[in-house]
Amino acid sequence: MSDARLPWTTRQLAEPYLLKKRRVYILTKPDLADPAETERWVRAFTDRGELAFPVDCRNGKGLRSVTSHLTLERRRISEKRAPGELSRPLRLMLFGVPNVGKSSLANRLLGSQKAPFGAKPGLTRGSHWLKGKRSLTVLDTPGVLDTSKVKGEAKMKLAASWALPENAYDVQEVGVYLASKLPGVTDPTRYITEFGRARGFLGTGGVVLFERASQAVVQAFRDGELGRMTLETPSDFCEFGDSEEPERKEKGQ
């Protein structure tokens, strides 16, 4: 599972742990991402022969495409079953960084509320096999992320999306990073200062509390208050360099 706002970064962190075969990418939080960029990411995955489905795990939007694919998979496995062999539920493993929506998706797929979920990372403490009302068994896993190996811009993106614990990053650095990604912002520090002033985050002498203002900017990004933002696009990565829009390819642009 990958956050639709940073599909490549969240995908790459999980890559070393996964086999290539029978993998499906779920792009979560598409309601917070730029819809045009999400479409480009889906097309980029498709061009590589990989399946990707945008799914809002909170309200289930987009889930039907996933369940249709799972129905086909269950049918394919059933056709290979030996005569007399008992039918078994389709087994799935949900895998990704913390706070990407694994437990919420598990509950949606199972039609139950068996997996704990909430708006902060780390609620899933261990791997759990979950059974629900449907012919599925889901392995809900804790977020896999070695923060010691995440640096630079990738760390800023993960922190912004709340995939890192709050003690693992400098909120002022993340706030400045996010402000620099906003359209029309040429001075991120000034933007945060004015953002804090507008919200009344003032200290002695009317000085803006920059750390508090930075935290507010980061939270505003997480809540979608800064607009639907995607922090990376397919064209940012050479692996997806051939995933241009069809009309641009035809014109040789």
Side-chain angles (χ1 to χ4, degrees):
M1 295 175 65
S2 295
D3 190 314
R5 298 166 296 177
L6 46 150
W8 177 252
T9 296
T10 46
R11 173 188 186 273
Q12 286 302 96
L13 282 168
E15 193 72 16
Y17 302 90
L18 304 174
L19 297 175
K20 293 290 184 182
K21 60 185 296 187
R22 298 175 67 185
R23 186 191 304 180
V24 176
Y25 293 102
I26 306 298
L27 303 183
T28 64
K29 307 180 183 180
D31 57 310
L32 301 177
D34 182 327
E37 292 300 341
T38 299
E39 288 182 12
R40 292 188 183 98
W41 272 111
V42 170
R43 183 163 57 246
F45 279 111
T46 301
D47 289 347
R48 289 166 56 91
E50 300 171 335
L51 291 173
F53 301 102
V55 178
D56 187 334
C57 299
R58 294 180 302 177
N59 60 26
K61 185 176 181 180
L63 188 65
R64 182 172 296 180
S65 296
V66 179
T67 55
S68 295
H69 172 72
L70 295 178
T71 298
L72 292 175
E73 276 293 294
R74 189 184 300 114
R75 186 178 303 161
R76 182 187 64 80
I77 293 172
S78 179
E79 290 173 352
K80 292 184 177 182
R81 195 169 63 245
E85 184 179 350
L86 295 177
S87 176
R88 297 180 180 178
L90 184 64
R91 304 178 76 189
L92 310 176
M93 179 176 72
L94 303 182
F95 200 83
V97 299
N99 205 34
V100 77
K102 297 182 296 296
S103 296
S104 294
L105 180 61
N107 289 330
R108 287 282 173 186
L109 289 170
L110 296 170
S112 68
Q113 292 292 323
K114 295 192 174 186
F117 65 94
K120 66 177 181 179
L123 286 181
T124 302
R125 298 297 183 181
S127 299
H128 304 281
W129 281 106
L130 305 172
K131 297 180 180 180
K133 302 174 183 177
R134 300 166 185 167
S135 300
L136 292 173
T137 302
V138 175
L139 180 61
D140 185 26
T141 63
V144 175
L145 184 62
D146 184 353
T147 57
S148 66
K149 296 181 181 180
V150 182
K151 300 178 181 179
E153 188 173 6
K155 186 173 183 177
M156 296 296 101
K157 294 173 183 176
L158 290 166
S161 67
W162 218 349
L164 296 179
E166 294 181 354
N167 62 358
Y169 59 89
D170 185 324
V171 70
Q172 296 181 64
E173 291 182 359
V174 178
V176 169
Y177 169 77
L178 286 173
S180 72
K181 296 296 182 180
L182 291 169
V185 174
T186 57
D187 187 340
T189 299
R190 182 177 179 181
Y191 173 87
I192 294 174
T193 300
E194 294 305 316
F195 191 94
R197 191 183 308 281
R199 298 209 174 187
F201 300 149
L202 305 175
T204 303
V207 176
V208 172
L209 302 173
F210 195 80
E211 182 173 357
R212 188 175 178 188
S214 298
Q215 180 62 63
V217 168
V218 173
Q219 192 60 49
F221 168 77
R222 294 170 177 170
D223 295 338
E225 294 177 8
L226 301 181
R228 299 180 69 171
M229 294 176 60
T230 297
L231 299 178
E232 51 193 29
T233 68
S235 59
D236 294 334
F237 306 95
C238 60
E239 289 83 353
F240 293 98
D242 294 330
S243 300
E244 297 181 86
E245 294 183 51
E247 59 268 24
R248 292 182 61 189
K249 284 187 176 181
E250 292 173 4
K251 294 178 181 178
Q253 298 178 351

